[in-house]
Amino acid sequence: LTALQEVASMTVLCSDKTGTLTTANITVMPDQIWTTGEFSAEECLILAAVASNKANVDDAIDSAVFRAMKTKFGADWEDQLRDYS
C-alpha cells in the first residue's frame, strides 16, 4: 500500500526500456543540460562531478559524469572542481 501511495505522488517517472542501464552505456551530454533557477548548465555538470566518486570506475553514472566533464572542459576539467569541493 505504501508503494502505491508513493507512485501516486510522483510527478516524474524515469524508465529505461531500451537496455541502456543494463548495458551500463550511459552518456551525459553537456550541451543538452537544461536548468532553471540560479545554476547554469556548467555548474550543474560540475556539481554532478563533485557528487560523483572518481575512484569508483565501475559505476556507470559516475564514469559518464567524468567523461562529460572531460568533454566539456578538456584536460583541465579537474580545475573546475576546486571551487566546489
Side-chain angles (χ1 to χ4, degrees):
L1 185 60
T2 303
L4 290 176
Q5 291 171 336
E6 293 294 325
V7 169
S9 67
M10 286 191 302
T11 55
V12 175
L13 171 64
C14 296
S15 176
D16 175 61
K17 294 168 43 176
T18 62
T20 310
L21 294 177
T22 55
T23 61
N25 186 15
I26 298 172
T27 302
V28 175
M29 300 173 162
D31 296 332
Q32 294 187 19
I33 296 173
W34 182 80
T35 64
T36 62
E38 63 184 87
F39 295 103
S40 69
E42 286 184 353
E43 288 172 315
C44 182
L45 179 58
I46 292 167
L47 291 171
V50 169
S52 298
N53 182 356
K54 193 167 64 168
N56 192 5
V57 296
D58 293 332
D59 185 90
I61 296 173
D62 290 351
S63 296
V65 169
F66 290 122
R67 281 194 310 272
M69 286 290 292
K70 291 173 190 172
T71 299
K72 183 71 176 174
F73 299 108
D76 298 326
W77 68 272
E78 290 183 277
D79 293 341
Q80 301 296 320
L81 304 179
R82 289 196 181 106
D83 292 338
Y84 292 89
S85 38

